[in-house]
Amino acid sequence: MPTIDPRHPVRTVRSVRGAGRRRVPRIVVPTARAVVDCGVYVEGRRLPGRFTPADALAEIRNRGEGFVWVGLIEPDDTQMGEIAAIFDLHPLAVDDAINARQRPKLERYDDTVVLVLRTVVHREHEMHSVSEIIETGQIMIFTAPDFVVTVRHGEHCALTGVRRELEADPARLMYGAPTVLHAVTDHVVDSYVDVTDAVELDIEAMEEEVFTPRGQVAVESIYQLKREVVELRRAVNPLATPLGKLLNTPDLFLPKEIRRYLRDVTDHHSGVAERITDLDEALTALISAALAKIGVQQNTDMRTISAVVAIAAVPTMIAGIYGMNFEHMPELKQVWGYPAALILIFTICTGLFIGFRRNKWL
């Protein structure tokens, strides 16, 4: 009988035939699989070599200067638990890092500041597609005087470019771990601007289609776009409160220069939030205009149908009267009766057609 390693957690599953339960070892994925990069930065420059998170933190604390930046992508509870043990992260914050559906917020646990950011990306799509347009994710930043841990959920909004830009500018990295906090936040807010620009182009294309004469109106597409704008607003607007706390909390370990940079990020975020509100209002007005256009089209169609029915009623009425087969009816025995009836039907129908055409019912 195979033995089970007591160091590994096990899970219990029921057998196919229901004859009992068997214990299967749980597959433990190494923490290194979730680590995108781990760098040690001293005096604004990255130390050469590769470090594990534990070795990197030990190196910094032995030197008494610099900081560690560990980047994680979608860690599970075991992987995040190992990182939390190394950097002494609070269990509540660790739970939030595993769950990728947090609202933007700022929390503080002793000397560690935790900032949650919602990330967004605009997906290419057809105008009348009902697929997801705005895709959201999450970045959680644990910042302390000697380390930064970034936890990313979602395939978009990678931080590799941010790390590369910072490593190319040692003067900024001289400010320490808060520099990474600002750079990641600025990167996310800049992505908000790009997504808002793309959504604005979608709305402009939809407006052009709605207000084109005789153009078809797809209200479902407008509702889909409005739902995506609501999703964008939920991801972006709540970040205003955490950014305000970062700027207005005096006892945080943020250098004055980093606070100035964060003030610029806050201004950009405020501008994006206002644009998103304007886009939402524009879509509301667009829905009203689309529904009004549909109402006008329906009225036009009803007038056309009514005109056709009125014209068709003339031969139906005359044929119905002369089809009653009474013996004593005028013109029944006349040679010209049938041609006269046809001429009468044609004359009345032609008159109705001309009248409806002049009134633009046809």
Side-chain angles (χ1 to χ4, degrees):
M1 178 177 180
T3 59
I4 303 298
D5 189 344
R7 295 172 299 174
H8 290 173
V10 296
R11 57 188 177 93
T12 303
V13 298
R14 186 177 298 275
S15 64
V16 177
R17 297 186 180 183
R21 294 178 180 271
R22 55 189 177 90
R23 299 168 68 83
V24 179
R26 178 182 176 183
I27 299 177
V28 179
V29 180
T31 303
R33 294 284 186 89
V35 177
V36 178
D37 199 354
C38 178
V40 179
Y41 300 89
V42 178
E43 295 182 352
R45 299 188 179 278
R46 180 169 181 165
L47 297 184
R50 301 183 65 178
F51 296 85
T52 65
D55 293 340
L57 187 62
E59 178 70 20
I60 286 299
R61 291 182 174 173
N62 288 335
R63 289 173 174 266
E65 60 178 346
F67 69 95
V68 178
W69 181 4
V70 178
L72 305 174
I73 180 169
E74 298 181 354
D76 58 26
D77 52 353
T78 303
Q79 296 166 341
M80 195 65 210
E82 184 175 335
I83 295 296
I86 295 173
F87 293 96
D88 194 21
L89 305 179
H90 197 279
L92 293 177
V94 172
D95 290 340
D96 290 343
I98 298 173
N99 179 15
R101 299 300 300 175
Q102 301 296 319
R103 286 174 58 86
K105 61 182 179 179
L106 178 71
E107 295 179 338
R108 183 176 181 181
Y109 301 95
D110 298 328
D111 291 336
T112 304
V113 174
V114 181
L115 177 63
V116 179
L117 304 168
R118 297 295 298 173
T119 60
V120 296
V121 66
H122 179 271
R123 296 300 185 188
E124 294 296 330
H125 63 283
E126 299 294 334
M127 179 177 293
H128 299 298
S129 172
V130 294
S131 61
E132 187 178 24
I133 301 174
I134 303 297
E135 182 179 326
T136 61
Q138 175 179 299
I139 293 179
M140 197 166 185
I141 311 172
F142 297 83
T143 309
D146 56 356
F147 69 82
V148 178
V149 177
T150 55
V151 182
R152 178 167 62 91
H153 289 270
E155 296 299 327
H156 60 277
C157 211
L159 302 179
T160 304
V162 177
R163 187 186 290 264
R164 190 181 302 113
E165 290 179 3
L166 287 178
E167 291 177 354
D169 189 0
R172 289 178 63 188
L173 284 176
M174 288 290 292
Y175 291 107
T179 303
V180 179
L181 175 66
H182 160 260
V184 174
T185 306
D186 185 52
H187 173 67
V188 172
V189 172
D190 286 344
S191 70
Y192 293 165
V193 177
D194 296 337
V195 172
T196 303
D197 290 339
V199 172
E200 188 172 11
L201 292 177
D202 290 340
I203 295 177
E204 289 177 355
M206 196 71 69
E207 287 176 339
E208 183 177 355
E209 184 171 292
V210 169
F211 293 110
T212 298
R214 302 181 183 275
Q216 297 295 323
V217 179
V219 181
E220 294 83 1
S221 300
I222 304 177
Y223 278 116
Q224 170 72 11
L225 191 56
K226 185 172 178 62
R227 189 186 72 82
E228 298 299 326
V229 169
V230 171
E231 182 75 12
L232 178 61
R233 184 180 62 192
R234 289 176 179 172
V236 173
N237 288 14
L239 184 58
T241 300
L243 290 178
K245 289 182 179 179
L246 276 177
L247 289 176
N248 300 322
T249 304
D251 57 341
L252 292 179
F253 52 91
L254 297 179
K256 184 181 297 184
E257 191 66 22
I258 296 299
R259 290 181 185 271
R260 291 174 180 171
Y261 284 126
L262 284 173
R263 189 174 296 111
D264 182 67
V265 173
T266 302
D267 292 340
H268 290 172
H269 176 268
S270 299
V272 172
E274 291 176 359
R275 287 183 61 193
I276 293 174
T277 301
D278 293 340
L279 294 179
D280 189 36
E281 294 175 353
L283 280 174
T284 301
L286 188 60
I287 290 174
S288 300
L291 293 177
K293 185 175 182 179
I294 291 174
V296 172
Q297 290 176 345
Q298 290 177 342
N299 290 336
T300 302
D301 295 339
M302 286 302 300
R303 289 193 304 179
T304 302
I305 294 172
S306 299
V308 172
V309 170
I311 295 174
V314 173
T316 302
M317 180 186 65
I318 296 176
I321 293 174
Y322 282 93
M324 291 187 291
N325 295 324
F326 289 109
E327 183 177 354
H328 301 288
M329 291 183 68
E331 292 86 29
L332 283 180
K333 305 245 183 206
Q334 301 296 331
V335 177
W336 46 264
Y338 179 69
L342 292 180
I343 293 173
L344 178 63
I345 291 173
F346 179 78
T347 302
I348 296 175
C349 290
T350 301
L352 289 175
F353 178 81
I354 294 173
F356 287 134
R357 195 61 180 268
R358 286 178 178 176
N359 292 323
K360 297 182 179 180
W361 282 41
L362 289 173

